Amino acid sequence: MTRQKPDGFRSRARLLPPCRCLRTACFYGLLMLPAVQAAAAPGDLADLSIEELMNETVTSVSKKAQNLFDTAAAISVLSNEDLRRSGATSVADALRTVPGLDVASINAGEWAISSRGFNNQYANKLLVLIDGRAVYTPLFAGVSWDLQQPMMEDLDRIEVIRGPGATVWGANAVNGVISMVSREARQTQGTLIYGGGGDVSTAMSGARHGGRIGDNTYYRIFGSYRRNDDFPLPGGEPAQDRWQSGHGGFRVDHDSGPDTRLTWQADATSSALEDGASNAYNVNTLGRWTQQLSGGSRVELQAYYDRTHRYETRRSISTLDTTDFSFQHNVAMDPRNDLVWGLGYRHVGSRLGQITPLTRVEDGNSQLQLFSAFAQNEFTLLPHKLMLTAGVKLEHNEFTGAEIQPSIRGAFKPTEQQTLWSAVSRAVRTPDMLEARNTFAIAYGAPFTGPDGGLYLPTLVGNRGVRSEQLWAYELGYRIQPDRRVSIDIAAFYNDYSELISFGNVQDLIPGDPVGIAEIPWSNVLEGETHGGEITLAVSPMPTWRLTANYSLLLTRLQGSSTEDRETREQSAPRNKASLRSSLDLGLQAGIDAQLRYVDAIQAAPAYLTADLRLSYRPSELLEFSLVGQNLLDRSHLEQAPIAYSIQSEVPRGVYGKLVWRFQ
Amino acid sequence: MTRRPHLSTSPLRSGIRAAIGILLTVGGAALGSEGTDSREYQIKAAFLYNFTRFVEWPASSFKDADSPIVIGAYCADPFTQVLREIVSGRTVNGRSIVVQHLQAPAAAQATHVTFVCADSDALSAYVEAAVRIYPVLTVGETAAAAEQGVIIKFGLEADRVRFEINAAAAERAGLKVSAQLQKLATAVRRSP
């Protein structure tokens, strides 16, 4: 169903139906084992279109997985099955087993997630998309994970690309791209209801109904609700960070002809953290038109509107309105060239209001525009053996003007079962509203006595002259499938960063009564490099049992004039991470999934080893019971360094039970 | 995707290639088809369901607007079960789909689609009976079935399920096969 995304080996079969999601989902990530991963249940086969059926293989790896195997990028995919069997209650937690990703809980409702380093709550080098809609906030270029609660039962997959995806996705995809793709309405027909709860995840419930209007229009409507209890503070008392969230929406897919597809979806999410101290909501709507042209070319046009509002007693009140248009044209020129190019425009309007004097809002209203264009071509130098992809993205933003991000990738297949790939890319992280505008003045640290004897409060302020962070990334990877049941994937990288933005030195002392302001502007004070790699081994000793082992290494070295922050940055992500997952089917009705994870220490949190276990039982095709234990090895453990203005708590051991009921 | 001609074709090389090919096919078949619930047959069952979406039967073959589409299969167990799982709860043009295990060649009369598996004994008797009944979409898997005049014949190519359409047989049977399905077929035979 999904068509290969530009940034890698492209699918040969023009028969494949149009890619549903712009610029995102067409990567596929079956890094995992073909034998267990690709085997859809018979019922699922009937969901495939006839063109997709023609690509299903009888004995070996399916075409989707094969294309993934040939991709010149470090990519992993969590399929719907992986998500279900992980027992994760949110997409943020589901990402924990992806190699190369750092996922750390700050408290019950906030996460710090990044790829290949630089992890904190405001991790800004990762681009996250849901169905083609960017969900990062231009305020601090990070993601509010509490508002990302898509219904996991209806997610088709989550694709994670480590390394710059900047050519196709743009600035901020510096260290990686996470793209979540939901299933088409055609694939979510019928009614699904789920409910459950436990001691930490106290309640989770949701329902979806999918139907059809006429022969060519499919729809689904859905709603879900969840509630989480307090996490414990290091001392053991509850951290008062409990939260609840609701989510609802719909999707309509209409085929107005054999070659035309229209999609319209809208959803709303609300989140109330810390018992009301932080409230947020998001409403968004997206429309997409995909037209397959003669000769194998395709055009896609997408538009979305997104409003995110957040009220945080410790920070500010903010409302951000994003309107985004994008266009993409896949040109099938000849069998040896696959060209894709596109244009994009985004407008972000923001209104901020001050709540606390510690986070002063200086200029809270802004309108920002972003223009972008990209082009990428995949050259087949030797069919099935040597492919080269070259692309460039041009962007113009209000803070730093024009930015150019080129990338070149090559894939070489010495044999059918091996792929060797390499990539060189330049990527850029443009400054966010916090850094480049006179938006906020944030108190940082304790007041000190200045040279004139007066008291000054260190305050972080925006800096109009700040430049974009830059990255030159060099990547190398190797995949081999020596046997039908074994596959190995290795990816290594060397990232050379310059102009990293952090808070430097005091620039201005503004006397005041009783306390003056010591202005510290965000500046390009750091540079450095990270290197490391990820290795994944997937083995299927029996058709019903799959084992996946991951190991990730990350070494960071930074230089710059901001000593204190440099060390924090260097040690903001663990050096070693490893995980072992086992998925075992007991007959047709039961299954056991287990996960063991080790995460190395960071500056403020010790290393931890944790395990999750999921038991599932399906008495019939329509019903599934599951019992999930999470973080079983410890009563609780700390995962992330303390962050200004955030509650910090430890992740506790928890158990929950869940029932999923499907009926037509 | 264009196929490049091989450079050399010495008899020895072709012989070896053929032997390897046979070995792989047989080996693959041995690995792949553990029975009629194997992946290959699951995919074929999904194809049968899809065929009902792309073929038009004359109005006379249905009693009324609610009559189900009947797929009859003459195959070893548990193919019928696999097929039932595939079609369960699905409708085509508002009609539900019903699967029947054919007990006798003449039972094909009550079906709209008849599929005769390769490993069935009395294969040719079933095929022969089915192709004389109109309007039934006859589906087979073997060259012999194709020769006897089934409308769709399954094949395997590069580890994937493919199908050929005998357009003349479809016309004789009074069935309209959609252009889209014909486009996807590896071959469309027009001569009777």
Side-chain angles (χ1 to χ4, degrees):
Chain A
M1 160 184 89
T2 51
R3 203 186 151 213
Q4 163 65 0
K5 194 41 258 188
D7 210 16
F9 180 73
R10 119 202 90 155
S11 116
R12 301 287 168 186
R14 304 285 178 203
L15 292 174
L16 282 178
C19 169
R20 300 305 172 210
C21 295
L22 181 66
R23 262 196 268 172
T24 59
C26 302
F27 258 92
Y28 14 136
L30 287 176
L31 214 53
M32 307 305 177
L33 267 205
V36 181
Q37 189 84 331
D44 293 343
L45 274 179
D47 279 327
L48 301 180
S49 73
I50 199 164
E51 292 93 342
E52 291 160 356
L53 259 190
M54 303 210 40
N55 270 301
E56 284 294 311
T57 54
V58 173
T59 56
S60 67
V61 174
S62 80
K63 182 95 175 175
K64 272 195 276 187
Q66 187 64 39
N67 282 345
L68 189 86
F69 197 80
D70 299 341
T71 299
I75 176 167
S76 312
V77 162
L78 300 171
S79 66
N80 178 278
E81 173 96 353
D82 290 331
L83 293 172
R84 184 170 62 86
R85 298 190 79 146
S86 71
T89 53
S90 67
V91 290
D93 283 328
L95 294 170
R96 288 176 186 278
T97 53
V98 177
L101 276 192
D102 295 307
V103 178
S105 285
I106 299 162
N107 55 53
E110 294 177 288
W111 285 263
I113 301 184
S114 73
S115 161
R116 295 180 170 169
F118 299 102
N119 197 22
N120 59 50
Q121 188 175 12
Y122 304 107
N124 52 26
K125 300 185 188 13
L126 184 68
L127 179 64
V128 181
L129 301 142
I130 297 185
D131 284 335
R133 176 180 58 95
V135 299
Y136 86 110
T137 165
L139 208 52
F140 58 83
V143 177
S144 304
W145 288 96
D146 60 319
L147 284 178
Q148 316 311 330
Q149 301 289 339
M151 221 166 98
M152 301 225 283
E153 275 75 10
D154 286 341
L155 270 184
D156 186 61
R157 64 195 180 279
I158 299 181
E159 301 170 344
V160 179
I161 300 162
R162 292 106 57 199
T167 300
V168 179
W169 283 278
N172 286 82
V174 168
N175 274 6
V177 182
I178 296 179
S179 171
M180 302 186 222
V181 181
S182 61
R183 291 187 147 168
E184 297 179 18
R186 178 168 61 96
Q187 298 171 306
T188 55
Q189 299 284 288
T191 309
L192 180 151
I193 299 179
Y194 71 87
D199 52 1
V200 174
S201 295
T202 46
M204 61 191 81
S205 61
R208 172 258 289 156
H209 174 73
R212 205 180 63 174
I213 307 168
D215 272 333
N216 296 320
T217 309
Y218 294 87
Y219 70 90
R220 70 164 171 266
I221 55 173
F222 50 88
S224 64
Y225 169 77
R226 62 176 296 173
R227 200 170 63 229
N228 277 55
D229 203 1
D230 294 321
F231 275 10
L233 291 171
E237 313 87 58
Q240 308 296 331
D241 56 356
R242 59 189 166 278
W243 65 292
Q244 49 184 333
S245 150
H247 176 74
F250 69 86
R251 172 172 174 154
V252 180
D253 293 326
H254 172 68
D255 286 329
S256 59
D259 297 322
T260 312
R261 157 70 64 99
L262 293 159
T263 300
W264 179 36
Q265 60 194 73
D267 61 71
T269 312
S270 79
S271 146
L273 296 155
E274 300 168 33
D275 219 19
S278 175
N279 287 312
Y281 74 79
N282 168 277
V283 280
N284 68 79
T285 181
L286 179 148
R288 186 182 312 118
W289 168 65
T290 307
Q291 178 77 37
Q292 190 87 16
L293 305 170
S294 61
S297 302
R298 193 181 78 227
V299 291
E300 277 187 22
L301 193 60
Q302 173 181 286
Y304 71 80
Y305 166 74
D306 179 296
R307 161 171 283 209
T308 304
H309 170 90
R310 190 174 284 274
Y311 176 95
E312 286 175 292
T313 43
R314 285 196 205 86
R315 293 193 186 99
S316 67
I317 180 168
S318 63
T319 308
L320 289 153
D321 289 309
T322 305
T323 313
D324 183 290
F325 298 93
S326 55
F327 167 79
Q328 176 173 308
H329 181 203
N330 291 61
V331 185
M333 297 195 304
D334 59 68
R336 292 185 150 230
N337 282 292
D338 192 0
L339 174 72
V340 60
W341 68 276
L343 302 168
Y345 169 78
R346 182 178 299 171
H347 176 270
V348 180
S350 65
R351 282 194 320 279
L352 301 163
Q354 178 167 332
I355 293 182
T356 154
L358 292 176
T359 307
R360 230 176 37 246
V361 174
E362 302 281 333
D363 177 5
N365 294 351
S366 76
Q367 310 277 330
L368 299 173
Q369 294 186 103
L370 180 72
F371 299 87
S372 63
F374 80 92
Q376 179 175 282
N377 193 20
E378 188 192 306
F379 306 89
T380 303
L381 300 173
L382 292 172
H384 298 286
K385 270 247 182 289
L386 190 58
M387 280 77 68
L388 193 70
T389 305
V392 68
K393 178 141 196 167
L394 298 158
E395 280 192 345
H396 183 276
N397 70 83
E398 308 239 357
F399 299 136
T400 61
E403 302 280 4
I404 179 164
Q405 298 174 90
S407 159
I408 186 158
R409 297 176 177 267
F412 170 57
K413 292 184 68 68
T415 68
E416 259 310 295
Q417 285 77 31
Q418 298 177 77
T419 304
L420 182 66
W421 63 270
S422 169
V424 177
S425 325
R426 178 181 188 267
V428 144
R429 186 196 63 91
T430 53
D432 51 46
M433 287 171 58
L434 186 67
E435 295 158 341
R437 271 187 91 249
N438 187 22
T439 311
F440 286 118
I442 302 174
Y444 181 73
F448 62 93
T449 311
D452 61 350
L455 219 51
Y456 293 94
L457 177 68
T459 307
L460 302 171
V461 298
N463 173 7
R464 265 251 174 262
V466 75
R467 296 175 296 281
S468 293
E469 298 183 333
Q470 293 180 25
L471 165 68
W472 275 100
Y474 308 89
E475 299 175 84
L476 191 64
Y478 176 66
R479 289 187 196 97
I480 181 167
Q481 191 174 343
D483 177 79
R484 207 157 52 105
R485 292 164 299 177
V486 179
S487 81
I488 300 173
D489 187 303
I490 305 171
F493 65 94
Y494 175 82
N495 287 347
D496 187 357
Y497 296 95
S498 54
E499 310 276 25
L500 289 173
I501 298 172
S502 177
F503 20 97
N505 303 306
V506 175
Q507 209 78 323
D508 249 327
L509 287 174
I510 301 168
D513 195 18
V515 177
I517 306 272
E519 282 194 346
I520 302 175
W522 295 94
S523 327
N524 303 86
V525 289
L526 294 177
E527 60 183 19
E529 47 98 13
T530 60
H531 63 275
E534 300 101 23
I535 177 168
T536 302
L537 169 67
V539 180
S540 197
M542 302 173 335
T544 49
W545 188 23
R546 177 182 51 167
L547 285 168
T548 312
N550 287 326
Y551 170 71
S552 312
L553 173 70
L554 173 72
L555 299 161
T556 311
R557 198 174 58 229
L558 297 175
Q559 299 108 38
S561 56
S562 175
T563 320
E564 204 184 329
D565 192 55
R566 173 169 66 84
E567 271 174 18
T568 309
R569 287 283 192 98
E570 268 183 4
Q571 291 157 36
S572 64
R575 179 173 295 194
N576 299 289
K577 291 193 303 291
S579 75
L580 181 63
R581 274 183 299 146
S582 162
S583 243
L584 179 66
D585 288 326
L586 302 168
L588 284 172
Q589 292 181 320
I592 300 181
D593 300 285
Q595 201 191 97
L596 193 64
R597 277 182 305 112
Y598 170 76
V599 176
D600 214 349
I602 57 174
Q603 192 184 45
Y608 65 89
L609 180 69
T610 184
D612 293 357
L613 184 66
R614 176 180 186 267
L615 307 169
S616 65
Y617 176 57
R618 275 184 151 167
S620 78
E621 254 189 51
L622 306 174
L623 217 52
E624 180 179 17
F625 293 97
S626 56
L627 189 63
V628 178
Q630 298 176 305
N631 302 300
L632 294 170
L633 299 182
D634 249 319
R635 181 173 304 164
S636 68
H637 66 264
L638 193 62
E639 289 186 357
Q640 181 63 9
I643 294 183
Y645 308 117
S646 272
I647 292 181
Q648 190 202 18
S649 53
E650 300 194 345
V651 181
R653 179 188 296 156
V655 177
Y656 75 85
K658 181 170 167 182
L659 167 66
V660 180
W661 182 28
R662 290 162 214 264
F663 53 97
Q664 287 292 351
Chain B
M1 175 161 61
T2 53
R3 289 214 187 94
R4 290 235 182 113
H6 288 288
L7 289 175
S8 72
T9 42
S10 83
L12 180 61
R13 205 169 292 205
S14 330
I16 292 178
R17 219 173 280 152
I20 294 176
I22 292 172
L23 223 66
L24 283 176
T25 314
V26 171
L31 283 174
S33 51
E34 292 110 28
T36 52
D37 59 346
S38 68
R39 182 106 183 121
E40 178 187 334
Y41 281 91
Q42 288 177 8
I43 296 174
K44 286 179 176 170
F47 267 109
L48 287 175
Y49 158 63
N50 272 282
F51 291 156
T52 64
R53 296 167 56 206
F54 292 101
V55 170
E56 237 178 79
W57 281 264
S60 54
S61 24
F62 294 99
K63 200 153 55 147
D64 52 45
D66 288 327
S67 310
I69 301 175
V70 181
I71 304 182
Y74 184 61
C75 294
D77 276 331
F79 183 74
T80 331
Q81 178 56 28
V82 169
L83 188 52
R84 282 209 181 94
E85 251 187 75
I86 295 255
V87 302
S88 97
R90 294 176 195 272
T91 61
V92 173
N93 295 327
R95 300 181 190 282
S96 62
I97 306 174
V98 161
V99 174
Q100 274 178 15
H101 179 85
L102 298 179
Q103 307 285 15
Q109 280 187 23
T111 68
H112 300 98
V113 182
T114 293
F115 175 51
V116 186
C117 283
D119 56 352
S120 331
D121 38 301
L123 159 77
S124 67
Y126 270 80
V127 173
E128 201 185 311
V131 296
R132 290 169 200 261
I133 299 169
Y134 300 142
V136 169
L137 179 73
T138 47
V139 184
E141 302 191 286
T142 60
E147 250 161 77
Q148 284 181 286
V150 292
I151 297 173
I152 298 185
K153 174 196 166 294
F154 279 128
L156 276 182
E157 188 190 316
D159 205 38
R160 288 172 179 77
V161 174
R162 293 285 178 262
F163 59 93
E164 296 176 1
I165 299 180
N166 185 333
E171 212 172 318
R172 252 199 328 268
L175 298 171
K176 219 158 72 176
V177 176
S178 98
Q180 194 171 353
L181 195 65
Q182 292 189 31
K183 191 173 69 167
L184 293 174
T186 36
V188 180
R189 278 173 50 189
R190 300 214 176 271
S191 56

